[in-house]
Amino acid sequence: MSRKGVGLAAFDRSRITSAQYASHGNNLKTSHSTSLETQLSVFRSLLQQFSKTHAKDIRLNPSFRAEFARMCAAIGVDPLASSSGAGGKDGSGNFWAQILGGSVNDFYFELAVRVVEVCGSTREENGGLTGVKEVREKIMSTRMEGSPEVTDDDILRAVNTLKPLGSAYSTLTVGHKLYIRSIPKELNTDQTAVLETAQLLGYVSVSMLMLNLKWPRARAKTAIEDLVSESMLWVDKQCDEWEYWSPGFMLEVQEEINDG
């Protein structure tokens, strides 16, 4: 019984077949890539047309603006990819600036300036950890009549515009609350746990942490003292055991009293 496909000839045929499969695969990949790029180009064109038609709604309606931004992100268009409305490397400039004359682009960068101002003015009160809700309320309280409404989503996008500048501004979640951190220092896990505990009653104590988190006294004191040194907790020495209060909680209570 003869055996076919043995020797150098069979090896050559196998190599040719593999090369053909590879070539065919590359052709398919190129074809699909070109097709996808064409589809995205058409979609971006339609998106640009849509944005021009609804420019006023995007500027003035915060919900519409947020949905439009999400739609951009879904196709890989970052509306805030550039730090200015001037030209980029390819001269195309910022996406918002191109399609809306820079108005929405300016809105976010002007909002970022206001975020920096608010965080800077309250840093001594909260140690550089300011609630997003508090920042928005302070900005809204000083806005001019007829100015666009500002949402938490707008605040977060404004903070993101500061990242290319290498700034210390970032967002983080502690417990159930979203904060803007305006200092370069990172919170460690113990400090985060203390702040989460402080959200429940507004304050913590060394014995509270020892009882609820099962920490030794030295660990509880170290975490608290680190936060006190950064003004993220305030000390109340009038009690039998010192209590360490969250500035944000105290401000919220004060605002509720004033509103009431």
Side-chain angles (χ1 to χ4, degrees):
M1 184 175 180
S2 62
R3 299 168 63 186
K4 297 181 179 180
V6 178
L8 292 177
F11 178 76
D12 288 339
R13 283 196 298 273
S14 176
R15 186 169 55 183
I16 292 172
T17 301
S18 297
Q20 289 173 335
Y21 277 125
S23 177
H24 183 61
N26 288 332
N27 289 336
L28 285 175
K29 183 178 179 181
T30 301
S31 176
H32 290 164
S33 177
T34 302
S35 176
L36 182 60
E37 287 177 2
T38 301
Q39 292 176 27
L40 286 176
S41 177
V42 171
F43 196 86
R44 285 193 180 99
S45 178
L46 294 173
L47 186 63
Q48 183 173 351
Q49 183 178 347
F50 174 87
S51 65
K52 288 179 178 178
T53 303
H54 299 280
K56 184 177 179 180
D57 291 323
I58 294 173
R59 284 195 299 269
L60 299 180
N61 187 323
S63 299
F64 198 95
R65 185 166 59 245
E67 289 301 323
F68 179 72
R70 293 188 187 98
M71 187 164 55
C72 290
I75 62 165
V77 175
D78 183 359
L80 299 171
S82 171
S83 61
S84 70
K89 289 183 178 180
D90 57 357
S92 59
N94 181 274
F95 185 71
W96 285 121
Q98 288 183 65
I99 63 180
L100 299 173
S103 56
V104 176
N105 179 66
D106 293 341
F107 167 79
Y108 279 113
F109 287 107
E110 289 170 6
L111 183 57
V113 171
R114 293 290 293 116
V115 169
V116 170
E117 290 175 351
V118 170
C119 289
S121 66
T122 60
R123 191 169 295 150
E124 291 186 2
E125 301 172 2
N126 53 43
L129 201 63
T130 316
V132 171
K133 178 173 176 284
E134 286 73 31
V135 172
R136 180 179 62 81
E137 289 176 347
K138 285 184 178 295
I139 291 175
M140 290 294 292
S141 67
T142 58
R143 72 184 183 122
M144 296 178 61
E145 185 177 351
S147 300
E149 182 182 351
V150 176
T151 66
D152 289 355
D153 184 79
D154 290 327
I155 297 293
L156 297 177
R157 294 182 188 281
V159 173
N160 284 336
T161 67
L162 299 171
K163 289 182 178 179
L165 303 178
S167 70
Y169 286 81
S170 60
T171 59
L172 76 160
T173 302
V174 178
H176 61 277
K177 190 171 181 179
L178 195 59
Y179 290 88
I180 297 172
R181 181 176 57 214
S182 57
I183 54 174
K185 181 178 179 180
E186 293 280 346
L187 294 177
N188 60 39
T189 54
D190 281 4
Q191 293 167 342
T192 301
V194 172
L195 292 176
E196 288 177 352
T197 305
Q199 285 184 357
L200 300 176
L201 298 176
Y203 73 94
V204 294
S205 65
V206 173
S207 63
M208 184 188 298
L209 296 179
M210 292 173 63
L211 178 64
N212 291 280
L213 301 181
K214 310 300 181 186
W215 285 359
R217 178 175 294 274
R219 181 178 180 181
K221 286 192 66 176
T222 298
I224 287 176
E225 288 171 359
D226 286 344
L227 292 170
V228 170
S229 68
E230 297 291 341
S231 299
M232 293 182 185
L233 288 177
W234 289 358
V235 189
D236 181 0
K237 300 180 180 180
Q238 301 179 65
C239 307
D240 292 335
E241 180 184 13
W242 289 4
E243 295 174 351
Y244 302 86
W245 286 80
S246 165
F249 181 87
M250 296 170 66
L251 291 173
E252 287 178 10
V253 171
Q254 186 60 49
E255 288 174 359
E256 290 176 0
I257 294 174
N258 293 339
D259 293 340

